[in-house]
Amino acid sequence: RYRGEVINIITGNIIYIESDRRVLYIHENGRTVTVVMKMEELLGQLPPRYVRCHQSYAINMDKIRNISITGVEVCTGELLPVSRGRYKEAKDYFLKYMGHKL
């Protein structure tokens, strides 16, 4: 819910989630949905294919093209930041997730 509006979001269409304090921008295919909640609260409601790569970003692992110390490239070609403290965890989680998909 946001500003009295109920918005249907298909979790498989989410590319990444961006946080600006308690305002989340959920980037989907072709649209951005705004909601007011904490990132951890939203991630607790989503399937386990979402990984935090930065304090302000969580990414759908199905939408990752590549991940490196310089950033995470998603299917739209956007390069999202990855923090030094979260890089190893995000990379390991991504490799484990992709291994299970094979």
Side-chain angles (χ1 to χ4, degrees):
R1 300 190 70 171
Y2 182 69
R3 293 186 179 174
E5 190 177 355
V6 177
I7 302 164
N8 182 31
I9 298 173
I10 299 169
T11 60
N13 290 344
I14 296 172
I15 299 168
Y16 66 95
I17 304 160
E18 181 180 3
S19 172
D20 183 12
R21 296 186 186 109
R22 287 187 54 90
V23 178
L24 301 179
Y25 302 97
I26 302 170
H27 298 270
E28 290 185 292
N29 298 327
R31 77 174 180 165
T32 301
V33 176
T34 305
V35 296
V36 178
M37 67 180 2
K38 291 182 180 180
M39 177 76 85
E40 289 303 319
E41 182 182 348
L42 178 60
L43 291 176
Q45 297 175 19
L46 293 173
R49 67 175 169 259
Y50 294 87
V51 64
R52 282 227 36 202
C53 63
H54 187 275
Q55 178 67 26
S56 300
Y57 291 90
I59 300 174
N60 180 345
M61 288 187 284
D62 290 330
K63 307 295 183 179
I64 293 175
R65 281 191 186 160
N66 63 61
I67 184 168
S68 70
I69 194 73
T70 59
V72 178
E73 183 182 0
V74 294
C75 62
T76 60
E78 295 172 88
L79 187 64
L80 304 176
V82 61
S83 63
R84 280 187 230 144
R86 294 185 190 257
Y87 172 70
K88 181 176 178 359
E89 177 187 351
K91 180 188 75 166
D92 291 347
Y93 196 67
F94 177 64
L95 291 172
K96 182 178 176 185
Y97 178 78
M98 294 309 289
H100 285 298
K101 286 186 72 174
L102 297 175

